Amino acid sequence: MAAFLAEMDKALADIDEAIRRDGRNPYAFYLKLRILQGRGITRDFVAAFHEAIAKYPAYYQLYAIALATLQPRWGGSIPAMYAFVDEYARPAPQFSPLKLLYPSLYRYLLGAASADCTAVGGDRDKTTQCV
């Protein structure tokens, strides 16, 4: 685990350097969030997310990775997921890509329910009924 974290720190240093040299590509900010996602919802992740959307408020992938990281399996919670979608998708214009956060939310809710139900019994029919 220590070696993995050391490699993640190197990846983070590399992407920070790439952003420092030329931050005109929003994908670099997405990669930074992907790297930080491995540690769950941390202060660093939240700060990187806010930095990224301040610079690229219309880049949907930044919001998508943040919502994915709010799943219970990453240390987030269902109320946090609802709050996130409410904050960013609800006020977005009708045809904004941010409206896609709604189906992503429902997909993650089904995934969380499925994981909880599967842990209970493992029977496919029971899992389907539980979900």
Side-chain angles (χ1 to χ4, degrees), residues 113 117 123-131:
C117 292
D123 181 320
R124 182 181 174 101
D125 292 331
K126 289 180 181 176
T127 297
T128 302
Q129 184 62 32
C130 176
V131 171

Side-chain angles (χ1 to χ4, degrees), residues 14-90:
D14 286 348
I15 200 67
D16 282 340
E17 180 63 18
I19 290 170
R20 188 190 67 73
R21 288 180 184 223
D22 184 2
R24 293 179 292 173
N25 186 344
Y27 188 69
F29 290 90
Y30 170 78
L31 289 177
K32 182 173 183 173
L33 292 177
R34 289 286 296 172
I35 293 165
L36 290 168
Q37 182 186 37
R39 296 184 177 165
I41 296 293
T42 62
R43 286 185 182 150
D44 289 342
F45 183 92
V46 172
F49 171 71
H50 287 293
E51 175 189 7
I53 65 169
K55 188 158 184 153
Y56 297 103
Y59 189 53
Y60 172 75
Q61 292 301 324
L62 301 171
Y63 300 89
I65 193 67
L67 178 59
T69 308
L70 286 169
Q71 294 177 82
R73 69 183 180 149
W74 290 105
S77 68
I78 289 173
M81 291 166 55
Y82 273 110
F84 181 86
V85 171
D86 190 49
E87 181 177 352
Y88 295 107
R90 190 174 48 87

